Structures are given as C-alpha cells and as structure tokens.
Amino acid sequence: MTAGGPAAMEDGGEKGALRAALSGLTTRGRSFLAAGVAAAVCAYVLGQADLLRVGLLLAALPLVCVVVLVRTRYRVAGTRRLSPSRVPAGSEARVHLRMENVSRMPTGLLMLQDRVPYVLGPRPRFVLDRVEAGGRREVSYRVRSDLRGRYPLGPLQLRLSDPFGMCELTRSFSAYDTLVVIPRTEPLPPVRLSGEASGYGEGRQRSLALAGDDDVIPRGYRHGDDLRRVHWRSTARYGELMVRREEQPQRARCTVLLDTRQIAYQGAGPDSAFEWAVAGAASALVHMLERGFAVRLLTDDGTAVPGEGAGGFAGSTQESADSAGLMMDTLAVVDHSDGSGLSRAYDVMRGGNEGLLIAFFGDLDEEQAAVAARMRQRSGGAVAFVLSSPDWVQGDVPPAGAEGASERRLRLLRESGWTAVAVSPGAGLAQYWQQAGQQGVAAQSAAAGTTGFTGGWS
C-alpha cells in the first residue's frame, strides 16, 4: 500500500513553507541566530566592525539554510507493507518501509518516523543518508501486542535536515495501514463431541436420498457421463437417455455462540473471563473449520458472521478461508454488549437445523439458563463452556449460594441435553475440550445402557 505519492514532500505555498521552515529551526540554528544578533548589537555599541561581520555571518548562516531548504523540492514516494497483516495476540509482525527518490536531484539527510499506537511498542525512527536520484532505501521494524484489536499504522513522517543541522522540516504522508491482532488460538484434541458426526458419511445431511430406485432423481445424459450410471427405467419413461445423479453431500454445520453480555462477566484485562471466552471461540472456530465443518459465529445480540451462504454458513473451501478471516477479524474487535439476554441469538436459530452448537457463556441466571436449554432443541448437539466461577475475580468474596446456583444452572443445561463444562481460570480450552468429549461419551454410554461403549476419537 502506498504511504505517500511522489509529491508528498512538496508544500503548497511559498510563504507557508517559509514560516514552517523558520519554526523548524533547531536548537543549533536558534543559538547561531541569537549569537549573531547579540554580536551585531555589541558591535554597534562598541563600534567594532570586525565583530559586526562575525555577527552577520552567524545570523545569516541559519537563515540561508532555511531558504535553501525551502527552495529544495524533493519528490519522495513511500510504501509500507505488513508481514503479515493479521497476527495472533502475543505474536510479532514486521513492517517494511521503502522510500524512493523520484526527483532528479539527490536528497539530504532524511529522518524517517512511523506513527504506531503505544501498545505496539516504541515509535520507530530511522536515519537515511543521502538518497541518489531514482534511488531507494528499505528499512523494517517489528510490532507486537498482547491485546487483540485493530491498530492503525501511520501516517509516515519524514524529517528533512540541512547539512549543518540548522533547520528541520517535517512532512507527513496521508495513507496508513491497519494491523489486525486476532485472539490467540490453541490446538484442540480431536475429540468427538456430542451430536458430531465423523465424516461426510453417516450422520451427515444429504441433499439426495439413495435408499432405492424410487428415490433416485435422474437427469439427462451428458457427453462424458459413465454409461454405468444410466438409469434404464427413467430412460424408458422419458424416451431419452437418463443417468443417476451423483451423491451431493452437504457440509456438516457448526455454530459457535459467544456470550458478550457485559453483565455476564466480571473483571477486565487479558486474563479476564471475557477474554478467555473470546480466545476459546476463536480456537473452536479454527478447529471446526479444519475438520471440514461449515462454521458461523453467533453472538448474543443476534449478529451472525459470515452471514453469507445457506443459513449464514460458509460454503466451499475458498469461502471457508475467507469466512475464517472475517470471523477472526470480528473476534479481534468484539466487545461487551449492553444486552441482558440470549433471546436474539435464540431467534436466529429458529430454523432448528443448526448442526453442532458450541457455546461460551458467562454468568447465567435462571431465565437465561432456560433460554439456553431451549437452544438445545434447535441443534443436533450442544456443548457449553460456562465461565461463571467466582474465582475469575481475585480478591472478591462470592455471595452466599453463588456456587450452588452455578451448579444448578449446569445441571439444568445437562438435563436439557447440553454437554456443559464449568470453566475456571488457569487452564486452556484444550483441557476443557477433552473433558467435554469425555462427558459426551459418558452420556452416550448411559443412553445406550452399556458399560463397554468407548465413544469416538476422530
């Protein structure tokens, strides 16, 4: 992305440029000017002609540098490139800057400075020596943030100085880039969760049934079709060659629900319950996409991402890659909502064909626990990670009966068919993910009435 055009170092008006140059006198330039004026005054009072010439020379030198610097028209182009432009929290990105002198004359000493937010590190500064006509210089620096978000980089600033260091002029380019810091993700074990199928075969939805000849939907023969797929009964019925359609399986769906209600979380900062839930949702999204699911992100206010395709789910592999980036960008800037309930998310799931539901809940009262219990009826399987432990806020004494209320909410979710896991600080999602898989295996074993059923690792 271009950070400035070829004319980025040119000023609009001569008077404005002269005033800017005079205001850009360095400490050395101001000292020379003050010393020259003082010497001239002393020479006049004392009647010393030689001292007057020295004073005029001292005062004239910074002024001449100002005029030369103003009259010099440099044409400099700058570009900035991020590698990569999307990084997980705690990882580094490298910013590459390239300056090109597109004028016919060499530049003087250039001091390059890029504006970056303080959370990304100190402001980078570089000194570029003389750049010949048509020449270019490349520099780079690293940025890092432990906090997710979108951070602007730029605009780029160039500080031009004369050879004597009497005056400095600052020029800013207009363009800037954006670094997206997404939540940190962690690899998850390949545990088969409740309601999840292991592949495109059994347990997956299919658009065409293959139970028998009566269920076959034929189509006309096309050049190149395998003759073994010819459906003779339909050919005799329609009077033209008909073939059986190929099986067209649909991708299994998964909805990742993130509870962002402000009243559902306590505390703030990188180690807060809300940040754990955001990072957990990001890890679940990546994991399910890698396993071939069509995934969407849903928040408590009813916002669904990516929001395209059938029912808002990602479609093909390329769409999944684009949708994954969109969902991660959404999680990079997601914040608390002002809502008090989960009813909007429940309304979005009114289709009743949501596939696997993975939810990250904060504190649930009785009413919201009942809404969450009804969500289970609209999904093929449901796994909930509930961050309602009073241990998330250090130093606070939990109210009496808080732990008992949390256990009752978990029991309500489990009785309605959820695989519900209580999350406490100090452990990553991988541990609770495996625990959810074990609970799902135990529930399936109990439902089957067997003791030797081991469930599935996919």
Side-chain angles (χ1 to χ4, degrees):
M1 181 176 181
T2 302
M9 291 293 295
E10 293 185 332
D11 274 31
E14 190 74 22
K15 294 183 180 180
L18 185 59
R19 286 195 298 267
L22 288 174
S23 63
L25 283 173
T26 62
T27 303
R28 180 185 300 177
R30 297 176 186 272
S31 299
F32 268 69
L33 184 60
V37 172
V41 172
C42 293
Y44 177 77
V45 173
L46 300 176
Q48 297 290 330
D50 293 337
L51 184 59
L52 179 60
R53 286 192 289 270
V54 172
L56 293 177
L57 178 61
L58 292 176
L61 182 58
L63 298 178
V64 171
C65 291
V66 167
V67 174
V68 172
L69 200 59
V70 170
R71 299 295 297 178
T72 301
R73 296 298 183 181
Y74 295 126
R75 293 173 59 86
V76 181
T79 58
R80 181 191 298 106
R81 179 173 57 88
L82 302 181
S83 177
S85 60
R86 183 189 292 119
V87 295
S91 300
E92 290 184 346
R94 183 167 289 275
V95 183
H96 301 270
L97 303 176
R98 185 176 70 176
M99 305 303 302
E100 183 177 0
N101 182 14
V102 297
S103 61
R104 297 182 179 180
M105 59 182 301
T107 68
L109 188 67
L110 298 178
M111 285 172 283
L112 184 63
Q113 177 177 277
D114 205 9
R115 291 185 178 180
V116 299
Y118 72 94
V119 296
L120 297 182
R123 181 171 296 182
R125 294 181 175 88
F126 305 94
V127 177
L128 304 181
D129 204 353
R130 177 180 179 272
V131 182
E132 65 279 4
R136 64 183 60 178
R137 299 289 187 271
E138 294 187 4
V139 293
S140 64
Y141 63 94
R142 294 177 296 179
V143 291
R144 179 181 181 274
S145 174
D146 293 327
L147 302 176
R148 58 183 177 86
R150 295 173 60 91
Y151 301 102
L153 300 178
L156 192 63
Q157 291 183 334
L158 281 178
R159 184 174 298 174
L160 185 63
S161 177
D162 65 280
F164 299 100
M166 298 290 180
C167 181
E168 291 181 352
L169 291 180
T170 301
R171 297 290 182 266
S172 296
F173 295 102
S174 57
Y176 64 92
D177 291 298
T178 302
L179 176 67
V180 181
V181 180
I182 61 177
R184 185 185 293 108
T185 61
E186 59 178 308
L188 301 179
V191 177
R192 181 179 300 175
L193 302 176
S194 175
E196 176 189 349
S198 60
Y200 282 94
E202 182 181 359
R204 300 276 173 146
Q205 301 172 3
R206 298 176 181 273
S207 59
L208 298 178
L210 299 177
D213 290 341
D214 294 338
D215 296 324
V216 173
I217 303 178
R219 62 168 175 82
Y221 175 83
R222 299 172 185 171
H223 179 73
D225 285 338
D226 190 350
L227 293 178
R228 290 174 296 182
R229 293 174 47 220
V230 173
H231 191 251
W232 298 109
R233 182 180 299 181
S234 299
T235 299
R237 179 185 303 173
Y238 295 104
E240 60 177 322
L241 202 58
M242 307 292 291
V243 296
R244 294 187 297 268
R245 291 189 181 184
E246 294 180 349
E247 183 183 7
Q248 299 177 357
Q250 295 180 353
R251 303 181 72 194
R253 293 179 171 182
C254 176
T255 297
V256 177
L257 173 61
L258 176 62
D259 182 8
T260 63
R261 296 172 298 136
Q262 188 171 9
I263 61 175
Y265 298 94
Q266 300 181 16
D271 298 329
S272 64
F274 180 68
E275 293 300 325
W276 195 101
V278 173
S283 300
L285 287 171
V286 173
H287 179 74
M288 302 310 292
L289 283 171
E290 290 177 349
R291 301 192 59 182
F293 280 72
V295 183
R296 72 172 175 181
L297 173 66
L298 180 65
T299 59
D300 60 285
D301 58 4
T303 302
V305 182
E308 300 177 356
F313 293 85
S316 63
T317 303
Q318 180 61 35
E319 291 176 349
S320 296
D322 297 338
S323 300
L326 180 59
M327 289 185 287
M328 297 303 286
D329 290 346
T330 301
L331 290 177
V333 296
V334 69
D335 201 355
H336 290 291
S337 68
D338 297 330
S340 58
L342 303 171
S343 58
R344 293 184 179 179
Y346 176 76
D347 293 338
V348 174
M349 301 175 60
R350 61 181 178 273
N353 191 18
E354 303 299 325
L356 178 63
L357 174 61
I358 302 176
F360 294 85
F361 292 123
D363 287 321
L364 295 174
D365 54 23
E366 294 183 0
E367 180 180 357
Q368 302 312 315
V371 175
R374 292 196 300 269
M375 289 182 181
R376 174 63 182 88
Q377 303 173 1
R378 298 186 173 184
S379 61
V383 181
F385 300 94
V386 184
L387 291 82
S388 58
S389 173
D391 297 335
W392 280 101
V393 182
Q394 298 180 358
D396 289 358
V397 179
E403 295 184 0
S406 299
E407 289 297 330
R408 288 194 300 271
R409 313 282 159 65
L410 287 174
R411 186 167 56 253
L412 174 61
L413 293 178
R414 291 166 182 163
E415 290 175 352
S416 62
W418 283 85
T419 299
V421 179
V423 178
S424 300
L429 178 61
Q431 173 182 336
Y432 294 107
W433 189 268
Q434 190 168 8
Q435 181 179 345
Q438 294 172 354
Q439 286 190 16
V441 168
Q444 292 176 8
S445 300
T450 62
T451 58
F453 182 72
T454 59
W457 293 85
S458 49

